[in-house]
Amino acid sequence: MKASWASFFIFLYVLAMLRPVFPLFEYIVDQDYIAEFLCINKEKVEMQCNGKCYLMQRLNEQNEEKKQNLPKIAMEEYPIGFIDVLAIPAQKTGITGSTSVLHYSNNYSFLFSDSSFRPPSLRV
């Protein structure tokens, strides 16, 4: 049962990864039909478009659709870990243009222990 679910999700993943290149596959498979009926520049034979204009139009439509579906992310709503990104004050520069250290706190601590860890031994 787990194998069938795993293969189903792998199939969905592969399908999602192939979606951006689907218009290219469609163009390769139906190139003659696209060049004859759907090409925008079929009157201009000297351009030798052969349906590439239709392919570019489909790729642009897909890019526009992708841009419209992306949600706007406000970084204020998603802080990184326990750090509030917006609460960090900017360092001010002095007259010389160099930054100065306003405050230094030594938060380093070390716990020394005499006992050394020894894993259990197997006696055979």
Side-chain angles (χ1 to χ4, degrees), residues 78-120:
Y78 302 102
I80 302 170
F82 297 107
I83 302 172
D84 191 8
V85 176
L86 299 177
I88 299 173
Q91 291 183 349
K92 297 180 181 178
T93 59
I95 297 172
T96 61
S98 64
T99 60
S100 61
V101 177
L102 300 177
H103 177 69
Y104 174 76
S105 62
N106 186 1
N107 293 330
Y108 177 77
S109 64
F110 177 72
L111 179 61
F112 181 75
S113 176
D114 283 335
S115 67
S116 59
F117 174 73
R118 293 194 178 112

Side-chain angles (χ1 to χ4, degrees), residues 28 30 41 44 54-55 57-58 70 74 105 107 113:
I28 291 171
D30 297 332
N41 298 323
K44 301 175 186 174
Y54 177 76
L55 174 64
Q57 182 181 15
R58 290 289 305 262
L70 290 177
S105 62
N107 293 330
S113 176

Side-chain angles (χ1 to χ4, degrees), residues 23-86:
L24 184 63
F25 291 139
E26 180 185 18
Y27 172 75
I28 291 171
V29 171
D30 297 332
Q31 187 173 6
D32 295 331
Y33 175 77
I34 290 171
E36 188 175 341
F37 295 106
L38 300 176
C39 183
I40 299 169
N41 298 323
K42 58 186 169 187
E43 291 85 23
K44 301 175 186 174
V45 181
E46 65 276 358
M47 291 183 70
Q48 297 178 350
C49 179
N50 296 331
K52 292 177 188 168
C53 55
Y54 177 76
L55 174 64
M56 291 300 154
Q57 182 181 15
R58 290 289 305 262
L59 290 174
N60 287 337
E61 287 174 2
Q62 189 171 10
N63 286 340
E64 290 296 324
E65 179 183 313
K66 188 186 299 183
K67 288 179 184 176
Q68 290 175 355
N69 290 339
L70 290 177
K72 298 292 180 190
I73 297 174
M75 289 305 292
E76 296 86 18
E77 296 176 9
Y78 302 102
I80 302 170
F82 297 107
I83 302 172
D84 191 8
V85 176
L86 299 177

